[in-house]
Amino acid sequence: MLHTEIVIREAVPNDIKKIMELLYLKAKFDGCPESLKATTEQLNNDLFGTTPLTSILLAEVGGKAVGFASYHRIYSTFLAKPGIWLDDLYLKAEYRGQKIGKALMTHLYQIAEETGCGRIDWTVNINNFQGINFYEKIGAKIIEKVRLCRLKIQ
């Protein structure tokens, strides 16, 4: 049972080690820890360099990082509005079901509203029933008619 306040905040450079730990746990959860190629140096540059490419929200309970949401800006030509692409959402297993994921998504939604976005998009694994249920509970529409396409660059 959660007895401590949930804090959602933007990551800062001193959080890189925490972020790397959470990324590894996310890769393990996804069943592909060997695919994690991120380094602390690359993440530091991509998150906090002169031209940041992405952002990370950290979820903390009792001062301990327990989850994160990574996201970046997108644009919808159909809406003629910016949007947010949620790249990863992850919570340590022992912290799931305690409204921390909802707090992360609420914070991300507030960022989207404040910056004039038309929507937030993301993917979810078709076998992640817990995740799908969570997303539907917060009002997300699962669109079955589209497929993720990936063109890998050497």
Side-chain angles (χ1 to χ4, degrees):
M1 183 58 82
L2 181 66
H3 298 288
T4 307
E5 181 183 4
I6 300 165
V7 174
I8 306 297
R9 65 174 179 81
E10 291 285 340
V12 297
N14 286 344
D15 293 321
I16 291 292
K17 285 177 109 175
K18 296 174 192 175
I19 294 167
M20 287 299 296
E21 175 196 351
L22 290 166
L23 285 173
Y24 176 74
L25 292 172
K26 168 73 165 85
K28 253 179 89 173
F29 174 80
D30 288 346
C32 56
E34 71 286 348
S35 69
L36 182 62
K37 306 296 184 205
T39 65
T40 55
E41 296 78 18
Q42 189 65 49
L43 275 180
N44 192 55
N45 184 58
D46 293 346
L47 288 165
F48 310 111
T50 54
T51 309
L53 299 175
T54 192
S55 299
I56 291 186
L57 293 175
L58 281 179
E60 295 179 329
V61 174
K64 179 182 176 185
V66 300
F68 75 100
S70 62
Y71 66 97
H72 59 269
R73 308 285 177 199
I74 58 173
Y75 187 81
S76 169
T77 53
F78 281 20
L79 296 177
K81 286 188 169 200
I84 288 178
W85 179 265
L86 172 63
D87 194 51
D88 286 314
L89 179 70
Y90 175 78
L91 290 174
K92 290 181 177 180
E94 63 270 27
Y95 291 93
R96 295 180 191 145
Q98 299 180 36
K99 303 203 183 304
I100 301 168
K102 185 174 181 180
L104 277 165
M105 291 301 291
T106 298
H107 195 95
L108 190 61
Y109 188 91
Q110 290 167 344
I111 291 169
E113 272 191 323
E114 291 167 6
T115 56
C117 292
R119 67 185 188 212
I120 301 170
D121 290 326
W122 66 95
T123 61
V124 60
N125 187 299
I126 61 172
N127 296 316
N128 184 354
F129 303 112
Q130 186 177 6
I132 291 168
N133 186 43
F134 166 72
Y135 294 138
E136 289 177 332
K137 276 186 184 176
I138 64 167
K141 179 181 176 189
I142 309 295
I143 303 168
E144 302 287 344
K145 291 194 244 178
V146 296
R147 302 280 179 150
L148 173 67
C149 298
R150 180 173 290 153
L151 184 59
K152 195 164 182 167
I153 309 301
Q154 302 281 342

